[in-house]
Amino acid sequence: MAKKTKKQQQSAGTPATVALTAAGVEFTVHAYDHDPSHPSYGEEAAEAMGVSPDRVFKTLVADVDGALTVAVVPVAGSLDLKALASAVGGKRAAMADPTLAERTTGYVRGGISPLGQRKRLPTVLDASATAHPTICVSAGRRGLEVELSPADLAGLTGAVLSEIARA
C-alpha cells in the first residue's frame, strides 16, 4: 500500500468528501494552509488556490421564517437575505446563530460545507454558479476546498438555483 502524502491525509475523510465519493461524482480536493488571522475564509481560499473569487463559493446558514436554510454564494459578494427568503417561499431571513449552524451541520464556522451535513437543510445556490464549469466550496474543514460542477453540487444538495448574491 502506498504511503499517503501529508496533503492527501489532510484531504481524506470529511463527511463532504465521503458523500462525493459515495455519489460517484467527479471532484478535486484543494488543501492549503489556513491562516487564522485572515479576515475572510473564502477570500483566503481563493488567494491560496489562485482561483477567481467568482468561482469560490461560501456556505452560509440563515434562518428563514424559523427554518435553517443553506445559502451558497460567491465569496466576492454577499448574501441578499430578502432574495434568499423569496427563493424558498419565505418572508423573512436572518443569519443563523453560529453555534446552531455548527451543531446542525456538523461543521465549524469557516469550514461549513453544503455537502455531507449532519442534517440536510434546504439549500439555495446562487445562479451565478452556472456561469462556470466548476466551482469551489468548503470540503468541511478550514483549509480544504472541493471543486466540482455546479450541476453536481445542486443535484447532491437538492439546491434551488436563484439569484441570492449581491456584488
Side-chain angles (χ1 to χ4, degrees):
M1 187 162 128
K3 188 174 179 180
K4 289 185 177 182
T5 66
K6 184 177 179 191
K7 235 180 201 182
Q8 288 171 322
Q9 289 170 351
Q10 289 174 341
S11 67
T14 69
T17 59
V18 169
L20 287 165
T21 301
V25 169
E26 192 173 314
F27 67 97
T28 304
V29 173
H30 300 276
Y32 60 92
D33 291 326
H34 167 62
D35 176 4
S37 67
H38 199 288
S40 166
Y41 298 117
E43 288 175 13
E44 176 192 23
E47 291 166 11
M49 295 185 304
V51 174
S52 166
D54 293 339
R55 281 191 49 228
V56 179
F57 282 63
K58 56 189 169 186
T59 305
L60 303 171
V61 181
D63 179 316
V64 179
D65 297 336
L68 291 182
T69 303
V70 172
V72 185
V73 297
V75 301
S78 61
L79 174 61
D80 181 335
L81 289 166
K82 192 179 268 189
L84 175 64
S86 178
V88 294
K91 292 181 181 183
R92 288 179 29 97
M95 294 307 298
D97 173 71
T99 303
L100 180 59
E102 289 179 343
R103 192 174 37 235
T104 304
T105 64
Y107 294 117
V108 297
R109 207 175 70 132
I112 294 178
S113 176
L115 300 155
Q117 295 180 356
R118 185 176 288 150
K119 179 180 178 189
R120 187 169 176 170
L121 299 171
T123 302
V124 181
L125 174 61
D126 186 67
S128 68
T130 60
H132 309 285
T134 61
I135 60 170
C136 298
V137 296
S138 176
R141 183 167 49 229
R142 294 174 188 154
L144 197 64
E145 294 281 311
V146 64
E147 182 177 352
L148 73 165
S149 78
D152 285 339
L153 178 61
L156 290 171
T157 60
V160 171
L161 287 171
S162 186
E163 294 180 10
I164 58 168
R166 282 191 285 227

